[in-house]
Amino acid sequence: MAGLGKAARGKRRWIGLRIPNGAASRASCEGLLKAVLEGLQWKMYDHIPGPDGSATAIIRVPLYDCESATSRINSEEGWRTLTRSGKIKLVRERLKVN
């Protein structure tokens, strides 16, 4: 049985972000994101821990939640979005992941 076609999956955006501290492990990073992005649909794909307990992450959000997710991330102290795109490949290239 075939899965959903491309158009039926809905548009999405990939957001590359930086979390300053407390996100050294993937689980802790997901916990922090869960608190900040409560009520929004999202999924974390990449987690790159930094040497000082910080992390860089790539998350996927639906297009209709993108602006809200970006503003919530940027409103947190020390957090910031680094890049956004409709393709994960472009976000990974910009963040120099893989």
Side-chain angles (χ1 to χ4, degrees):
M1 179 178 209
L4 289 175
K6 185 175 179 179
R9 286 191 303 249
K11 292 191 179 238
R12 61 191 91 181
R13 287 294 178 260
W14 303 89
I15 302 173
L17 61 127
R18 181 91 173 140
I19 302 170
N21 52 27
S25 72
R26 185 176 183 92
S28 62
C29 187
E30 284 182 335
L32 291 169
L33 284 166
K34 188 179 213 178
V36 172
L37 300 176
E38 184 178 352
L40 301 179
Q41 293 180 13
W42 62 276
K43 183 174 180 182
M44 186 167 68
Y45 276 74
D46 292 350
H47 173 262
I48 305 99
D52 56 352
S54 65
T56 303
I58 298 175
I59 62 171
R60 183 192 74 198
V61 297
L63 179 62
Y64 54 83
D65 281 341
C66 187
E67 289 300 321
S68 180
T70 301
S71 66
R72 288 187 191 188
I73 290 166
N74 289 327
S75 69
E76 288 294 310
E77 174 119 16
W79 292 42
R80 65 185 176 117
T81 55
L82 303 172
T83 185
R84 296 187 315 183
S85 179
K87 299 183 186 299
I88 192 171
K89 179 181 176 184
L90 294 176
V91 173
R92 285 178 172 156
E93 284 176 4
R94 292 172 188 161
L95 297 178
K96 301 194 179 5
V97 177
N98 294 344

